[in-house]
């Protein structure tokens, strides 16, 4: 007998019934949490990821929510396809990302190129594809999942830091251009979130710093955070949902740090 599907208990939030959302990097981590949160608010969500099996599992987890989840397998390095898939969306959440921790002189140029393609050029193309519909109806929400590394730099993360700083600038430009059309654009900028990407970073940082993995979290990743814990994906998803609601209609062109006090230094 199949166990009933359970979901997090969501705070009261926006009613997104009738809206179509698109979330990239949807198969896990922050993206998965955003898909489920927006679907719980009633949106029809296009869940985009290159991980077909992860998307299939996500669609099963979304059963019983107010909205619907439509899995769409896509590699965001196919930029033309990325632009096409975002057509007709009311809400765009640019979340997909990847990370490699290496000193600059050892950083592989092909990986640098891929990171910038997926995390900066693809968001540009997705925004470009979504804006005609948003402008035409006089309403739209763009939420870019940036990072504290879009606001601060760290060593050994040249591609990730460059991409996130670029995403912050792209988001602000979209906000300035979209304001007269009823479209807001903002970044949510988390610190370290409990995701597979961060788990891989712990291993990479352990190698880079010559530390045991158990010391990396407290001594490296959370060194500058006042709150000494990882952020949960559901907490990020709540911030995304808030920015999509009517109560956030005057918030645009900014970044919402969810960084445990990191940028208070």
């Amino acid at each position: 007998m199949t166990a009933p599907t359970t979901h997090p208990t969501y705070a009261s939030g926006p009613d997104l019934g009738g809206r179509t959302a698109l979330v990239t990097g949807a198969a896990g981590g922050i993206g998965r949490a955003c898909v489920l949160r927006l679907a719980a608010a009633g949106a029809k969500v296009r869940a985009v990821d290159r991980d077909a099996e992860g998307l299939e599992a996500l669609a099963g987890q979304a059963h019983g929510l107010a909205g619907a989840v439509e899995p769409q397998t896509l590699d965001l390095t196919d930029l033309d396809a990325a632009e096409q898939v975002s057509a007709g969306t009311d809400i765009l959440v640019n979340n997909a990302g990847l990370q490699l921790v290496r000193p600059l002189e050892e950083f592989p140029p092909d990986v640098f190129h891929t990171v910038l393609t997926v995390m900066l050029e693809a968001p540009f193309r997705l925004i470009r594809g979504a804006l005609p519909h948003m402008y035409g109806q006089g309403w739209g929400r763009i939420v870019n999942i940036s990072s504290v590394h879009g606001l601060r730099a760290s060593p050994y993360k040249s591609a990730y830091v460059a991409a996130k700083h670029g995403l912050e600038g792209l988001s602000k430009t979209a906000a300035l251009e979209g304001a007269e059309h009823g479209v807001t654009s903002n970044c949510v900028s988390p610190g370290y979130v409990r995701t597979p990407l961060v788990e891989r970073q712990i291993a990479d940082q352990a190698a880079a710093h010559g530390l045991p993995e158990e010391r990396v979290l407290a001594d490296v990743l959370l060194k500058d955070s006042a709150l000494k814990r990882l952020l949960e994906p559901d907490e990020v998803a709540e911030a995304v949902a808030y920015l999509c609601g009517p109560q956030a209609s005057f918030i645009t062109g900014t970044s919402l740090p969810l960084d445990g006090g990191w940028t208070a230094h």
Side-chain angles (χ1 to χ4, degrees):
M1 181 176 179
T2 303
T5 302
T6 59
H7 305 108
T9 301
Y10 296 113
S12 60
D15 178 2
L16 300 178
R19 299 293 188 187
T20 297
L22 185 152
V23 179
T24 66
I30 295 171
R32 172 188 170 278
C34 288
V35 169
L36 295 174
R37 181 65 185 91
L38 296 176
K44 179 173 70 176
V45 187
R46 298 177 190 169
V48 174
D49 203 294
R50 63 181 180 179
D51 179 2
E53 290 185 4
L55 289 178
E56 183 178 353
L58 172 63
Q61 291 165 347
H63 179 72
L65 294 175
V69 174
E70 298 180 351
Q72 299 204 12
T73 305
L74 176 65
D75 188 329
L76 291 179
T77 59
D78 185 343
L79 295 171
D80 289 338
E83 183 168 332
Q84 292 168 8
V85 79
S86 64
T89 55
D90 307 305
I91 297 165
L92 172 62
V93 181
N94 284 311
N95 166 71
L98 58 154
Q99 174 68 284
L100 180 67
V101 180
R102 292 289 187 279
L104 269 165
E105 70 275 14
E106 298 175 12
F107 207 99
D110 60 326
V111 177
F112 191 96
H113 174 74
T114 299
V115 170
L116 269 290
T117 300
V118 171
M119 295 172 57
L120 183 56
E121 193 166 0
F124 158 69
R125 296 292 293 271
L126 286 152
I127 292 171
R128 189 174 186 270
L131 283 180
H133 171 72
M134 292 181 178
Y135 283 3
Q137 68 180 1
W139 192 95
R141 297 288 183 265
I142 300 167
V143 184
N144 299 297
I145 306 300
S146 181
S147 165
V148 69
H149 284 109
L151 309 172
R152 299 286 189 273
S154 290
Y156 311 119
K157 299 179 180 180
S158 55
Y160 190 88
V161 170
K164 292 301 191 184
H165 273 67
L167 184 63
E168 295 272 349
L170 175 65
S171 183
K172 291 175 183 176
T173 300
L176 295 177
E177 294 186 14
E180 65 180 292
H181 303 283
V183 175
T184 66
S185 175
N186 293 286
C187 286
V188 173
S189 302
Y192 289 101
V193 185
R194 194 184 305 278
T195 65
L197 186 147
V198 167
E199 291 170 355
R200 289 192 294 271
Q201 281 189 63
I202 291 174
D204 282 345
Q205 289 279 20
H209 294 277
L211 292 173
E213 289 190 15
E214 59 268 21
R215 286 186 53 198
V216 169
L217 185 61
D219 295 356
V220 180
L221 269 63
L222 300 180
K223 177 177 178 291
D224 293 320
S225 176
L227 299 177
K228 302 298 184 183
R229 70 170 178 87
L230 293 176
L231 185 65
E232 299 298 332
D234 290 341
E235 295 178 282
V236 182
E238 284 297 332
V240 171
Y242 170 76
L243 290 172
C244 294
Q247 67 274 28
S249 63
F250 205 65
I251 302 174
T252 196
T254 193
S255 300
L256 176 58
L258 305 177
D259 64 359
W262 186 336
T263 53
H265 289 279

